[in-house]
Amino acid sequence: MEKFTVLNGLVAPLDRANVDTDQIIAKEHLKSIKRTGFSEALFGAWRKDPEFVLNQPRYRGAAILLVRKNFGCGSSREHAPWALMEWGFRCIVAPSFADIFFNNCFKNGLLPVALTEAEVDQLFY
């Protein structure tokens, strides 16, 4: 695992709360445990919308994902942090995270940062 010290990077704002792991990576893409090959399915249903944040060229290469509360809720699939990391994210900023997702992030080198809702609101605007 790559050592995490300081991260400077572009922030992609995903203005949604209660994003569950099935939205992050749908269950039909969980056929492997190799930790690779998941980025193309990241937010697959939402990426069909051309206006979705990750489809916008200005957020290409973002290393930080800014989201609303309860990120990573739902089933406890470790594939969710794998897909986020393979896409290029190193950090997720949110007011709160589902416990299992939060722990899976640390086990895989993805930094979950919990800020207050007011602080996250300021970052969105």
Side-chain angles (χ1 to χ4, degrees):
M1 186 177 332
E2 185 179 334
K3 183 178 177 181
F4 200 108
T5 53
V6 175
L7 176 64
N8 293 309
L10 182 62
V11 177
L14 178 58
D15 198 358
R16 298 181 191 208
N18 302 308
V19 175
D20 68 45
T21 53
D22 198 47
Q23 293 161 322
I24 298 170
I25 182 84
K27 63 183 177 247
E28 60 265 16
H29 300 286
L30 307 182
K31 297 178 176 116
S32 173
I33 57 168
K34 293 183 181 177
R35 300 182 187 223
T36 61
F38 300 109
S39 65
E40 288 306 310
L42 179 68
F43 300 117
W46 295 344
R47 288 187 29 229
K48 292 175 185 173
D49 175 2
E51 299 301 313
F52 182 65
V53 65
L54 296 186
N55 291 336
Q56 298 177 25
R58 67 182 172 179
Y59 297 117
R60 193 155 294 138
I64 303 164
L65 183 64
L66 177 65
V67 294
R68 299 291 182 177
K69 67 182 177 180
N70 199 27
F71 188 79
C73 58
S75 63
S76 59
R77 60 187 63 151
E78 201 165 6
H79 297 73
W82 296 349
L84 289 159
M85 290 186 67
E86 188 178 15
W87 183 269
F89 292 114
R90 294 292 320 275
C91 177
I92 311 295
V93 178
S96 60
F97 297 89
D99 289 339
I100 294 172
F101 176 82
F102 187 80
N103 290 323
N104 280 340
C105 286
F106 284 113
K107 289 194 291 186
N108 289 284
L110 182 63
L111 180 64
V113 175
L115 301 177
T116 67
E117 286 192 52
E119 290 168 324
V120 170
D121 284 344
Q122 286 182 330
L123 293 173
F124 269 105
Y125 306 105

